[in-house]
Amino acid sequence: MKIFIAGASGAIGSELVPQLVARGHEVVGTTRSVAKTDALRALGAEPVVVDALDPDAVADAVARAEPEVIVHQLTALSGPADFRHAKRTFEATNRLRTEGTDHLLAAGRAVGVRTFVAQSNSLWMERAGAPVVDEDARLEPAPPADAVPLVAALRHLEEAVTGIGWADGIAIRYGGFYGPGTDLSAAPDAVLTDGVRRRRFPIIGSGAGVWSMVHISDAAAATVAAIERGKPGIYHVADDEPAAVREWLPYLADTLGAKPPRRVPAWLVRMLAGDFAVDMMTRAPGISSEKAKRELGWTLRFPSWRTGFASGL
């Protein structure tokens, strides 16, 4: 198939492009930076420099590519997250998930794409209920004030993509990425890894929030399967071991040869940085990926973050 990947130079795009090319697909990949075009070409994609927030530029790029599939992997999450100013930190990504999604959908409809796959996120599933949820669960209906724009943007993306009637619309709620090209990798400039080594990534409060993790190569493989065999709707993509922050974070620190993470009272973090980080660290549920394995035939290279942290960073 001819596949148009918006955000092809990002962490998952860089894994997704070679996997698709290896399976015989023709890939056109977008980037915001001219400097990244050679890297995309080396991965096997035809690079296109485009501003995803410019509807005319998006429409022109998609029209020229004439793809059968559009894959939306656009974010603007490079650099350390500043949870004290969460609205500002995630503002650009929120626009890509709202305006950028709408531009890509309009362009895709104009050329008659048959499948549209988009990146969502599992960290803001509804807090009430089970510690691990499937695709029937909804996004958190009453997030903290500093997370409202982010959750609203995720909701817009999911509803817009899965609600299209002219193509198969698929939203993938990924777990937390780790591995090459992510903020949690062996690279010296990996933000989360560096934070753990410097003991700047603490366990907040109870640390009872359950996170689901996924190696970036596994996330890309699930995306390939969704492109080729997915049905309209939502898929969860993460490994088989959702775990509380107080469990996986000390294990990660030990794996990295770092000191155990500090513990910080929730009230103190809430006072200094707001509710955003406290909520994620203490209330988040994990996700089950049984649907993706059952319907897509997806198998994990790293079924657990335990082996993944040890050998997959």
Side-chain angles (χ1 to χ4, degrees), residues 77 80-91 93-94 97 121 123-124 127 140 142-152 154 204 209 211 245 266 268-284:
L77 296 175
D82 180 2
F83 294 122
R84 292 187 65 183
H85 305 95
K87 290 182 180 180
R88 184 174 66 197
T89 297
F90 296 100
E91 182 179 6
T93 293
N94 293 341
R97 286 173 173 159
N121 185 285
L123 273 176
W124 288 99
R127 285 9 186 172
E140 172 56 40
D146 45 1
V148 165
L150 185 154
V151 178
L154 289 172
I204 297 173
W211 287 28
V245 175
L268 179 60
V269 177
R270 187 174 290 112
M271 181 177 68
L272 295 174
D275 289 323
F276 191 105
V278 174
D279 197 281
M280 287 198 307
M281 287 281 199
T282 61
R283 301 182 64 221

Side-chain angles (χ1 to χ4, degrees), residues 289-310:
S289 300
E290 291 307 309
K291 176 183 174 182
K293 290 190 287 184
R294 181 179 65 252
E295 292 191 3
L296 304 178
W298 172 55
T299 58
L300 287 148
R301 177 185 174 199
F302 296 106
S304 169
W305 46 267
R306 297 179 189 275
T307 54
F309 288 172

Side-chain angles (χ1 to χ4, degrees), residues 7-277:
S9 61
I12 188 166
S14 297
E15 289 280 342
L16 182 57
V17 169
Q19 289 193 28
L20 287 170
V21 171
R23 293 181 63 80
H25 300 297
E26 183 180 355
V27 179
V28 175
T30 78
T31 177
R32 291 171 292 177
S33 170
V34 174
K36 294 182 179 181
T37 57
D38 286 344
L40 276 177
R41 193 173 287 109
L43 292 175
E46 177 188 342
V48 178
V49 179
V50 64
D51 177 0
L53 297 178
D54 181 337
D56 293 333
V58 172
D60 181 66
V62 172
R64 289 175 181 273
E66 296 184 313
E68 298 163 79
V69 179
I70 290 179
V71 182
H72 175 3
Q73 296 287 353
L74 294 165
T75 65
L77 296 175
S78 59
D82 180 2
F83 294 122
R84 292 187 65 183
H85 305 95
K87 290 182 180 180
R88 184 174 66 197
T89 297
F90 296 100
E91 182 179 6
T93 293
N94 293 341
R95 290 189 67 194
L96 291 170
R97 286 173 173 159
T98 52
E99 297 170 48
T101 299
D102 292 347
H103 300 336
L104 285 167
L105 285 171
R109 185 170 190 174
V111 301
V113 301
R114 67 190 195 199
T115 303
F116 191 105
V117 179
Q119 176 188 146
S120 187
N121 185 285
S122 71
L123 273 176
W124 288 99
M125 303 308 300
E126 187 171 11
R127 285 9 186 172
V132 178
V133 299
D134 63 17
E135 288 82 355
D136 290 333
R138 59 180 180 170
L139 294 171
E140 172 56 40
D146 45 1
V148 165
L150 185 154
V151 178
L154 289 172
R155 184 173 292 111
H156 176 94
L157 179 146
E158 291 188 1
E159 292 178 352
V161 170
T162 61
I164 58 177
W166 44 268
D168 291 343
I170 299 170
I172 300 179
R173 293 173 178 159
Y174 296 100
F177 294 149
Y178 69 93
T182 74
D183 288 338
L184 185 50
S185 73
D189 58 347
V191 175
L192 292 182
T193 310
D194 184 64
V196 171
R197 287 193 174 112
R198 294 172 179 265
R199 303 187 80 195
R200 292 177 179 174
F201 192 151
I203 297 173
I204 297 173
S206 65
V210 177
W211 287 28
S212 289
M213 313 292 284
V214 63
H215 191 276
I216 197 70
S217 65
D218 282 331
T223 309
V224 172
I227 291 168
E228 295 180 341
R229 299 181 292 279
K231 299 176 182 178
I234 294 173
Y235 287 96
H236 285 178
V237 168
D239 71 19
D240 294 335
E241 193 175 357
V245 175
R246 64 190 177 208
E247 181 179 358
W248 66 259
L249 187 52
Y251 186 94
L252 173 61
D254 184 65
T255 301
L256 295 172
K259 293 181 179 179
R262 304 179 193 276
R263 301 191 76 110
V264 181
W267 65 264
L268 179 60
V269 177
R270 187 174 290 112
M271 181 177 68
L272 295 174
D275 289 323
F276 191 105

